[in-house]
Amino acid sequence: MTGAGTREASPEALLKSMTLEEKVSLVVGWGPARRVPGAAGETRPVRVPSMVTADGPSGLRIEPTRERRWYATAFPVPTMLASTWNPELVEKVGRAIGEEAREYGVDIFLAPGVNIHRHPLCGRNFEYFSEDPLLSGVMAAAYVRGVQSAGVGATPKHFAANDQETNRAMIDTVVPERALREIYLKPFEIVVKEAKPWAIMSAYNKLNGKYCSQSEWLLTKVLREEWGFDGIVMSDWGAGDNPVEQIKAGNDLIMPGSDQIVARLLDAVKRGELSEAELDRSVLRILEVARRSLSYRGYKYSNQPDLEAHAQLAYEAAAEGVILLKNEGALPLREGSRVAVFGTGQVETLKGGMGSGHTHPKRVVTILEGLRERLRVDEELSSAYERYVLEKRGREFLEKLYYDEAYPEPLPQDIVSEEQVAKFAERNDAAIVVITRISGEGWDRRLEKGDFYLSDGERRLIEMVSRQFRARGKPVVAVLNICGPIEVVSWRDLVDAILLVWLPGQEAGRVVADALVGRINPSGKLPTTFPKDWPDVPAAKSPECYPGVPPENPRTVKYCEGIYVGYRYYDTFGVEPAYEFGFGLSYTKFEYRNLTVEKAGDEVRVSFEVVNVGSYPGKEVAQVYVRAPKGKLDKPFQELKAFKKTRLLKPGESERIELAINVKDLASFDESEGVWLVERGVYEVRVGASSRDVRLTGTFTVENDIKFKP
Ligand code: BGC
């Protein structure tokens, strides 16, 4: 394969010495990987050692069972990482995942997912960060910096507008260019410019009529010429329908590939359908990335990443992503108080989602196990749920659910009678009801009871528990161990507190317990809106925007709402959400003071103070939204332009936050001229604790229109 001599040669020299057969073999991979079991794919060893690629994004996905166990840490899912609003923490998570990849012999990590939460029911939303392009982009850049600091390449995916799973391999996503550039491409633009990923994965879907993996406009004009990307583009697994067009468009690596594709490309070059120069371009890019890889450098991996340290980091990351949605005096619970825990999720706790984004950790702390460490759990009730789950699922299924992949069909939750609930209410101090929702690659969630809505059993359970506990003056707490938004308005009045823990990774139970008793003061904020009900959702406005039904088998999805995604829609059109973007409570209270806004050249400097005026130490996520003046282009009511999480502030302590916004980042895309445009006028700076809890406002003026090319 490779001699020391060839390893020294420059990519250009290597390219010159390669035969056509070798070149064609280098741009087509294989999968799954041969060198690392369970890794998704590998490049072929042609003059340089092969590179192993493995999934993400919640941790490294490799096969755990070989001659011994090879576990990888299950970190919280990206939606929860985004809920931390803490890029430094996300960078540490990226670094830890990169180290695990490196120590298991993986060269390129297939994450993070940078698609947008356009649609609350997209099955892979948990793998994506947010409905907002800035938050998504900043988190993705931090994640990529972390992974790559370990010497492993990262692969932001799925480029672009792969925001639903239904018919993902052939659906045509129709998006106006303005929405595409401002919402769907923006996070990729940020991650490419700020973190220089080694690779980008092109998406399965078509974009405005062309497969993403075959779109020269997307992969060459926008990605390379406009943004300066210099890594490799690889296809999603089996994406597209024409490998020749893929190479022509700038999709350098076809994954997982096959010998037929190698033969097809060879034939295309011989017949003049594909020029050797076009092929060489991709070969050179792969050689350049290969030279940076651990395999090329002969790195001796240990198969022993520091799983203990990473378990601690998984806890810390989840701890900062916990969101307190409601709290009417119920939380924190006193440590050691007696609790009655309802719901099968206490036993079959969901660490992550399904599909290529799942992980095989060494252990998962279930919610029940975590609660037992901090509270006096009513064992009669919890063991009834344990028996029930075991009987319905079987031990093997549960093992798979915790440590591998298994899809738990929803079980009825109300396995106790009202008389029994009354007994539990009598002898406990509080009730905890766990609600779970799972989703995964390949399918979208359903607008049905048991998914977006509570199931009848869940509703009956919450009603009974609420009646019996409240009658005795005891609080009811809902814990949401869910992959994405659910409807809450019809039942939230029945509970006194709601703690959202998403899919929190392997330390799930500890994080839940510590947040309930106040060892963790929740500091997460929503990266995605919780709508009041389905008809309010912008993506639900057209039947084509509704994945799955109707139409049953969609060929196109039209992004009818344009730029009005998430809070941009709710705020502009006066639609009240259940919980707005950026929302999250704390056990303490923060005040915002002394805003100054100053425009200096291309920068708007925003500075203010956050003060902890409550009685618990806590962190606050301060958000800066900007409202543009009325001008030529439609503008959303406001857009997030900067944010900062404070350090841990003790009661009475304050932190001065200083943020800078580049004026160019206020631009909208003017389709009529094909340029970015910042319109002149007075802009309002809105600083606050959520998109609807604005505490301070200021203004600055842009004197003249600013136009620039993409
Ligand atoms: C997924 C990608 C993943 C790849 C390799 C595809 O089905 O869409 O996200 O990286 O498989 O497992």
Side-chain angles (χ1 to χ4, degrees), residues 38-41 53-57 61 109-111 113 124 127-128 155 157-158 162 165 168 201-204 234-238 255-256 355-357 441-442:
T53 69
D55 283 303
R61 181 171 71 104
F109 184 57
L110 304 173
R124 290 183 89 173
E127 290 190 59
Y128 309 141
T155 315
K157 65 188 186 184
H158 310 86
N162 179 187
E165 288 300 283
R168 65 175 181 171
M201 187 186 291
S202 56
Y204 280 121
M234 72 174 85
S235 68
D236 199 344
W237 268 226
M255 293 301 288
S356 59
E441 184 179 347

Side-chain angles (χ1 to χ4, degrees), residues 118 161 173-185 207-208 217 545 557-565 669-671:
R118 166 181 181 261
T173 306
V174 180
V175 199
E177 187 171 356
R178 176 170 176 196
L180 186 60
R181 288 191 177 267
E182 289 182 26
I183 308 288
Y184 300 97
L185 298 185
L207 177 61
N208 295 331
W217 179 81
C545 304
V557 54
K558 287 197 184 133
Y559 286 14
C560 318
E561 71 290 347
I563 56 165
Y564 296 105
V565 177
F669 190 74
D670 182 354
E671 288 178 348

Side-chain angles (χ1 to χ4, degrees), residues 514-528:
D514 285 352
L516 290 176
V517 302
R519 288 194 186 210
I520 293 169
N521 184 356
S523 64
K525 303 252 186 168
L526 284 177
T528 214

